[in-house]
Amino acid sequence: MSRPLRIEFAGALYHLTSRGDGREAIYLDDEDRKVFLQVLGGACERFNWVCHAYCLMGNHYHLLIETHDGNLSKGMRQLNGVYTQRFNQHHKRVGHVFQGRYKAILVHKDSYLLELARYIVLNPVRAQMARAAKDWPWSSYRATCAQAVKPDWLHTDWLLSVFGKRKREAIERYRAFVAKGKDLPSPWQHLKNQIYLGDEQFVEQMQRQLGGDQSLADIPSLHKRPVAKPLADWTANRAPVSVVLPWSMWPMVPTLTCGFLRSNVALAIEVGV
């Protein structure tokens, strides 16, 4: 299976998730969750990441990360790799913790940061693990609402500034915004090409980021496949060939047609008696 496309550049915003190997739990106790947040904080500090929102579930996590230096892969390698080491040491085990590579969705900040920040903290509610976002201690919701100590690596100012100039007013509006999102459709219905969350202009801008330094080996065929040519382009300027087929060979027409269209020949088929 081809590896998923990675586009990395300064200022990119990503929704990141990684699942447990075999969909098994990646946190067996609260100590694991605390360790993960410590490792996440270390990655944010070392790689100059901005974390806008997070949520730790049972067998996966959600992060909303902005990379100032275009170094997503390096940071994710540290995050998942170091946590795997700490997890295995804690539980005296060996082997993988995460299933394959992480999933990264490029997000248009102006259009979808707010929606994704809400989606992320509402995951426990949708999964019926909590009645409300405030009841789940392992997300960024409480810290954003000033109901818990905010770690230095969690940046809430941009998010709250959208809701008001005064912090208390902004927090109240943020809480109402999150509460209204419980029954709304998932933002993933607007996903484009499996890796972009934004409008067509945003997708074009992201694809232009695939400059000369981007390895084509990292681009699966789905993303680099050329647009299909219309049938008229295939049949134009090709020497006509007339073939008379008996009725018994009529089921073979689609195969014959495809074969001739790949050559420099236009095929005309007649049915014989």
Side-chain angles (χ1 to χ4, degrees), residues 85-124:
Q85 294 175 1
R86 299 281 298 273
F87 180 91
N88 285 342
Q89 289 172 359
H90 179 205
H91 298 289
K92 296 180 174 57
R93 48 156 284 173
V94 296
H96 297 288
V97 173
F98 296 101
Q99 177 177 297
R101 300 181 80 207
Y102 60 91
K103 185 176 182 180
I105 303 298
L106 266 167
V107 179
H108 187 206
K109 183 175 182 178
D110 292 342
S111 301
Y112 285 100
L113 189 150
L114 285 178
E115 187 59 44
L116 277 180
R118 173 166 66 181
Y119 168 83
I120 287 173
V121 299
L122 281 174
N123 263 268

Side-chain angles (χ1 to χ4, degrees), residues 7-75:
I7 302 178
E8 301 185 5
F9 60 94
L13 177 67
Y14 303 91
H15 173 269
L16 304 170
T17 187
S18 192
R19 293 188 177 276
D21 192 31
R23 295 186 175 270
E24 294 184 356
I26 59 175
Y27 314 109
L28 299 184
D29 52 37
D30 287 350
E31 185 62 29
D32 288 337
R33 295 180 175 88
K34 293 176 182 177
V35 168
F36 181 86
L37 293 178
Q38 291 173 1
V39 177
L40 173 59
C44 290
E45 181 178 0
R46 178 177 177 182
F47 296 99
N48 198 23
W49 283 2
V50 172
C51 180
H52 293 283
Y54 71 85
C55 185
L56 313 187
M57 299 295 285
N59 66 354
H60 66 284
Y61 62 75
H62 294 269
L63 305 176
L64 193 55
I65 297 290
E66 190 171 0
T67 59
H68 284 325
D69 300 326
N71 51 10
L72 177 67
S73 296
K74 293 180 180 178

